[in-house]
Amino acid sequence: MSAESWLMDAPGPKARRRTRIGTGIGVVLLLGFVWYAYQALEARGQLNPKIWSVWLMPEVQRIVLEGLKATLSAAGMAVLLSVILGGVLTAMRMSKYRALQWIAIGWTNFFRGVPTLVCIFAIYLSFPSLGIEISVYWALVLGELLYAGALFAEIFRAGIDAVPKGQKEAATALGISSAQIFIQVVMPQAFRWMLPLLINQVVMTLKETSLGFVIGYGELLREGRRVVEYLGAGYATPMYVMVGLTYITINVLLSVIARYVERRTRSRGTTTKVMKGHKTPAEISVPVDV
Amino acid sequence: MSWEEIVGALLLGWRMTLTLAGIAMVLAFLGGTVIAILRVSPIPIFRAIGTTYVELVRNTPLTVLFFFAVFLSPHLGIKATFFQAAVFALTAYNFCQFSEAVRSGLNAVPKGQSEASRALGMTTMQMLLSVIIPQAIRAMIPPLASGIVIVVKGSSVAGVFGVVELINSMNNLSGLYGEKVIQILVVVVLLFLAVNLPIGFFSNFMERRLKMVR
């Protein structure tokens, strides 16, 4: 990856020398940090192979896998439902009835201001007092989808807006009906544009399922903690590192899959160039907050 | 406890939430700027360090970071209070958000500005200070505002890890006064909205002004 082009000119001899010195300093600092971390961990017995062997224990692996399945199941359901909700909210936003528009806008602003944890607790604590029984799974999923639905709606809206108006105008001039325009002209282009943002949101939702451990849902983090509680606090480091690495791996995998799909679905020929008037996702600030 | 006392307890928790969020926000912004500098640096190894950090932390949930901060710090010999651990986790997590904000702000400045500065013979430092950064600030505001909202919302996780803030108070009070659960929840939601909605509106306002300039 190269540095941003606005910052540097082509490097001359002085710049090259500075770069080399900087690289030397950077390497020294990095190695120093690694050395220091190694010393600190070693001194406290954190690098003892006995505790790290817990990664190989079949029971531990089974429990962690159960937790992973629970996480993926909750995340999958949350993503599915929030995509649907996002679609509904986008439709409301684009409808000609002011009331529906306002509801959609109000929903988005409201749930972006409230932490997801509060939503989850709100559902989990209030439903019983309203007489509705709710499982931790559904409290988690519903809590997540209130906010995620709003985010997906924002992404959909930005994606649809990003398609150059000329496309719709040309399609109308060709006599294609409104519905057909939407399905065959707008959506494919919007989808390709939106894909990185959509995957980003899926990753966010996946990370948020870890909040489930607070209300007792047996997801990945909670199962990791159960193992630590059962085996003893000495095993905390390897277990939580395992949990962290699992999350990182899954999320990075999702991003890699997304990039692969994006490359495969990109059409060949001149349309791979960004069309005139077509903004890239980076230029439109769709808020991608957690 | 009377209703006034309940609200009073919630407000005390709220003050803690804001304190936690405020500290984390400032530190995250400073650290995020450092990481942004690393990521745009001409020295490849600095870029690698910055990008690695961002990629690792972006893909980890905040709760996992809290676990690291709270449960692993004794193993590393670091004695920290719950509050300090919470600040650490919240800050480390939001480095990414703020570094992206700074970076996208810098990138939003038209390339012609830097080219013109170089043509005028400015050094990189002069160019940055006098030309790029002032223009970048306006573009940075929406993602920065977004980052602030994330920090405030993230502070709610701290309530689960021993920090007596709003969520913590909310849970305890709901446990004690089950019949008032809905009212308590309403108060909590209103408190969060009171902070986050104005930030959101301000951000939208600045975004529209930015679009007009272009």
Side-chain angles (χ1 to χ4, degrees), chain A residues 18-289:
Chain A
R18 250 183 289 150
T19 304
R20 249 175 307 186
I21 297 179
T23 307
I25 297 179
V27 169
V28 166
L29 285 175
L30 191 61
L31 289 179
F33 176 75
V34 170
W35 171 247
Y36 174 76
Y38 176 76
Q39 290 286 72
L41 290 173
E42 182 64 43
R44 296 207 169 67
Q46 293 302 297
L47 295 179
N48 186 346
K50 188 166 82 80
I51 59 171
W52 288 86
S53 70
V54 81
W55 282 22
L56 300 170
M57 282 207 272
E59 281 95 61
V60 170
Q61 287 177 349
R62 188 180 51 87
I63 295 180
V64 168
L65 217 61
E66 289 293 320
L68 181 59
K69 276 198 299 196
T71 295
L72 292 177
S73 142
M77 178 65 75
V79 166
L80 182 67
L81 291 181
S82 38
V83 164
I84 297 176
L85 177 60
V88 166
L89 284 173
T90 313
M92 283 168 66
R93 186 74 192 264
M94 299 194 304
S95 87
K96 39 186 173 63
Y97 298 113
R98 276 301 172 85
L100 289 182
Q101 280 184 15
W102 284 357
I103 296 178
I105 298 177
W107 179 292
T108 308
N109 282 326
F110 183 84
F111 285 108
R112 280 178 61 193
V114 182
T116 312
L117 194 56
V118 171
C119 290
I120 296 175
F121 270 121
I123 295 180
Y124 190 59
L125 293 175
S126 63
F127 271 32
S129 68
L130 295 171
I132 316 173
E133 268 191 44
I134 189 150
S135 67
V136 283
Y137 176 83
W138 280 107
L140 175 64
V141 169
L142 287 178
E144 275 201 73
L145 88 88
L146 291 175
Y147 173 67
L151 248 297
F152 274 118
E154 285 291 289
I155 297 177
F156 292 156
R157 201 168 62 93
I160 292 176
D161 273 343
V163 177
K165 270 210 313 216
Q167 297 283 308
K168 286 181 272 203
E169 290 167 359
T172 319
L174 286 172
I176 309 178
S177 77
S178 281
Q180 282 282 60
I181 295 182
F182 191 73
I183 300 176
Q184 295 208 318
V185 174
V186 175
M187 274 306 292
Q189 298 182 60
F191 181 75
R192 245 175 272 138
W193 183 95
M194 290 191 288
L195 197 59
L197 294 167
L198 290 176
I199 294 297
N200 200 28
Q201 187 53 39
V202 171
V203 166
M204 295 284 178
T205 307
L206 195 78
K207 292 197 300 181
E208 278 191 341
T209 56
S210 67
L211 292 174
F213 103 93
V214 173
I215 52 174
Y217 181 60
E219 48 78 58
L220 182 56
L221 189 53
R222 188 155 190 274
E223 297 302 279
R225 171 145 155 230
R226 257 185 47 194
V227 173
V228 173
E229 284 172 355
Y230 180 69
L231 290 178
Y235 291 88
T237 311
M239 280 315 298
Y240 293 140
V241 168
M242 186 182 193
V243 167
L245 283 179
T246 312
Y247 270 113
I248 293 177
T249 315
I250 298 203
N251 290 333
V252 168
L253 223 80
L254 279 173
S255 310
V256 164
I257 293 178
R259 258 176 293 189
Y260 177 73
V261 169
E262 194 189 355
R263 235 175 310 145
R264 285 294 300 265
T265 58
R266 196 181 306 180
S267 53
R268 313 182 202 277
T270 50
T271 37
T272 46
K273 280 199 309 217
V274 172
M275 292 180 285
K276 186 156 180 266
H278 210 153
K279 298 185 230 141
T280 62
E283 287 168 14
I284 300 205
S285 55
V286 173
V288 281
D289 39 45

Side-chain angles (χ1 to χ4, degrees), chain B residues 72-95:
Chain B
L72 294 191
S73 55
H75 290 285
L76 296 170
I78 307 171
K79 273 195 280 273
T81 65
F82 285 129
F83 185 80
Q84 289 164 341
V87 169
F88 174 78
L90 211 47
T91 314
Y93 184 70
N94 282 296
F95 277 161

